[in-house]
Amino acid sequence: MSVKNIFNDEDEQDDRWSAVDAYTISHLHPSSRSNSKTLVHSLENSLDQGLPDISNNPTLGKFIALQCQIGQVTHALEIGTLGGYTSIWIATQNPQVHVTTIEISPEHARVARENIEHAGVSDRVEVIIGPGLDVLEDLKKDVRDGRREKFEFVFIDADKINYLNYFNASVDMCEKGSCIVVDNMVKSGAVAIDKEDNPDSIVGPRMLIEAAGKDKRVDALVMQIVSEKTYDGFLVAVVL
Ligand code: DHB
Ligand code: MG
């Protein structure tokens, strides 16, 4: 069967995916953990204040936080703060990490700073407001001129059409051996389909996959994931 025949445009949902997340998180990150309540608070406060319901789920948040732990990361970069949920995961799990996170929306950044303050990590999470490409240019100059440390971990989760630009700017600022994770790379399988009229949310991930495959500076894969929200996935790259 060709992929065109099995591909379903609908956002897929399956009760088993939610049940497995709920079961595993209840054991592997129970509400008794020191950061559990503040993470839930950040999601609730973000929704209460009208932010879109597109934060990472707890499993992906913890995956990212554990990547920083595995890599003994001290400087992490995030492109797309939203309400600060992923930054809070990274900073609360990793007392050694300083997070620099970029957010285009001043309103989202305001809510993120509230949530980061509530989590008690505002001394280690720097929210920079501005368009990603402009802020990344400034950060690149800072890194080049020694005003900032290089990064050892990057999470990209912003406007999808600029994924390759964000990725290239990130590679330029990373130490060798760094890990770059990019969200929303699968979109219910739509990434596999080459269509003239693909939306930006597919064009961006496809450009990144095809460029990363030829890029001698990195090695990468895409991991498919299912969750309460949908069937999606992330790209993981190591900087060589
Ligand atoms: C959307 C964006 C995201 O980063 C995400 O994880 C899910 C959905 C969106 O723009 O619809
Ligand atoms: Mg996302």
Side-chain angles (χ1 to χ4, degrees):
M1 198 189 297
S2 88
V3 72
K4 285 194 174 61
N5 294 332
I6 58 171
F7 174 65
N8 169 8
D9 249 345
E10 303 292 312
D11 263 358
E12 283 126 323
Q13 303 256 304
D14 186 317
D15 288 344
R16 290 173 299 174
W17 305 346
S18 312
V20 170
D21 266 345
Y23 164 67
T24 58
I25 285 285
S26 77
H27 287 278
L28 299 173
H29 212 88
S31 55
S32 55
R33 290 288 180 100
S34 59
N35 57 358
S36 292
K37 284 194 175 55
T38 204
L39 285 162
V40 170
H41 170 272
S42 82
L43 290 180
E44 288 175 353
N45 186 43
S46 297
L47 291 180
D48 286 351
Q49 300 212 39
L51 269 57
D53 185 14
I54 56 172
S55 295
N56 279 339
N57 70 349
T59 297
L60 185 54
K62 186 162 186 179
F63 173 82
I64 286 165
L66 293 186
Q67 288 301 309
C68 291
Q69 199 169 341
I70 291 164
Q72 300 185 341
V73 168
T74 56
H75 292 85
L77 172 66
E78 179 183 49
I79 305 164
T81 315
L82 194 64
Y85 182 70
T86 305
S87 287
I88 293 170
W89 259 114
I90 294 172
T92 53
Q93 287 282 125
N94 296 281
Q96 81 285 5
V97 175
H98 179 279
V99 184
T100 303
T101 181
I102 305 171
E103 174 54 52
I104 193 169
S105 156
E107 178 57 13
H108 293 181
R110 185 189 62 72
V111 176
R113 283 178 176 145
E114 253 179 45
N115 292 334
I116 290 161
E117 179 78 36
H118 183 273
V121 289
S122 44
D123 56 331
R124 287 186 293 111
V125 182
E126 174 188 15
V127 182
I128 304 179
I129 302 174
L133 295 176
D134 296 349
V135 176
L136 287 167
E137 273 311 304
D138 293 343
L139 292 179
K140 269 193 337 194
K141 285 187 201 124
D142 284 355
V143 169
R144 188 193 60 206
D145 299 342
R147 287 188 297 275
R148 272 181 190 274
E149 301 285 328
K150 283 188 166 182
F151 297 100
E152 304 119 333
F153 179 85
V154 183
F155 181 55
I156 300 175
D157 192 12
D159 56 310
K160 315 307 173 199
I161 197 66
N162 274 312
Y163 267 8
L164 180 56
N165 294 325
Y166 296 149
F167 187 83
N168 282 328
S170 299
V171 174
D172 286 345
M173 289 189 283
C174 274
E175 299 278 6
K176 290 197 188 321
S178 297
C179 173
I180 302 177
V181 176
V182 189
D183 196 26
N184 307 116
M185 291 295 294
V186 172
K187 281 277 171 191
S188 300
V191 75
I193 297 168
D194 181 10
K195 280 200 305 193
E196 286 278 308
D197 59 346
N198 262 335
D200 287 356
S201 60
I202 302 301
V203 172
R206 285 179 63 89
M207 280 167 52
L208 173 56
I209 289 164
E210 292 168 29
K214 298 188 192 83
D215 190 336
K216 298 278 188 290
R217 302 171 304 166
V218 297
D219 204 0
L221 58 79
V222 167
M223 183 71 75
Q224 303 183 62
I225 48 174
V226 292
S227 74
E228 185 185 359
K229 282 184 177 162
T230 187
Y231 160 37
D232 210 320
F234 53 81
L235 179 138
V236 185
V238 61
V239 178
L240 302 173

